[in-house]
Amino acid sequence: MSIDAGREKYMLRNIEREESDVYWPLRLEALRTHPEAFGASYELSRQLPVSEVKDRIHNEPDDYILGAFTPDGILAGIMGFKREYGPKLRHKGFIWGVYVSPAYRGGGTGFPFIIGSVGTGKASRRY
């Protein structure tokens, strides 16, 4: 999905496991610079081996991480989504880990994450 956020256009798509080397530094930046906004700690997260980081990256309809990429392929922002399990909870999901790199803030990059997540959720409706 392509999004127009102010003066920049971004490609909004799922982060792949093979992109852990691009995703993880941005996630660590988020944890380091805004510890109050996240449940995970920078100190513990930076010690994770690459194999575990890759294992945490899912690309399923109910569990994924979206990335906003610039036209030059730079990862400007990230956002995770996970749907609840069970027949009485499947209508619920939660968004986690939203972060936009400071260089790309103020141009409307964050809002399309929510729109993209809702669109993906509707497309994978199975409850």
Side-chain angles (χ1 to χ4, degrees):
M1 167 192 294
S2 183
I3 56 173
D4 189 352
R7 58 190 188 280
E8 288 260 12
K9 282 196 178 267
Y10 296 93
M11 174 57 84
L12 191 63
R13 64 172 177 77
N14 288 14
I15 301 284
E16 303 286 339
R17 286 187 171 165
E18 298 76 36
E19 295 173 309
S20 63
D21 60 327
V22 175
Y23 161 72
W24 197 239
L26 190 59
R27 173 73 175 160
L28 290 176
E29 176 185 312
L31 298 175
R32 182 178 47 79
T33 58
H34 295 284
E36 73 285 355
F38 300 97
S41 78
Y42 171 75
E43 293 75 22
L44 292 176
S45 296
R46 72 179 186 177
Q47 297 174 26
L48 290 175
V50 174
S51 60
E52 188 168 336
V53 172
K54 286 183 178 182
D55 286 345
R56 292 180 178 198
I57 297 173
H58 300 274
N59 200 347
E60 300 165 15
D62 295 341
D63 188 1
Y64 54 85
I65 301 170
L66 289 177
F69 292 84
T70 68
D72 297 330
I74 297 169
L75 182 60
I78 52 178
M79 183 208 81
F81 175 83
K82 186 159 179 75
R83 187 185 309 269
E84 296 283 351
Y85 296 105
K88 292 189 174 187
L89 298 175
R90 291 208 41 83
H91 66 286
K92 297 179 183 180
F94 58 93
I95 293 170
W96 59 270
V98 179
Y99 181 75
V100 176
S101 185
Y104 301 97
R105 291 181 190 164
T109 309
F111 182 72
F113 275 134
I114 307 304
I115 301 303
S117 178
V118 170
T120 302
K122 284 182 179 179
S124 67
R125 203 178 293 176
R126 290 180 284 158
Y127 46 86

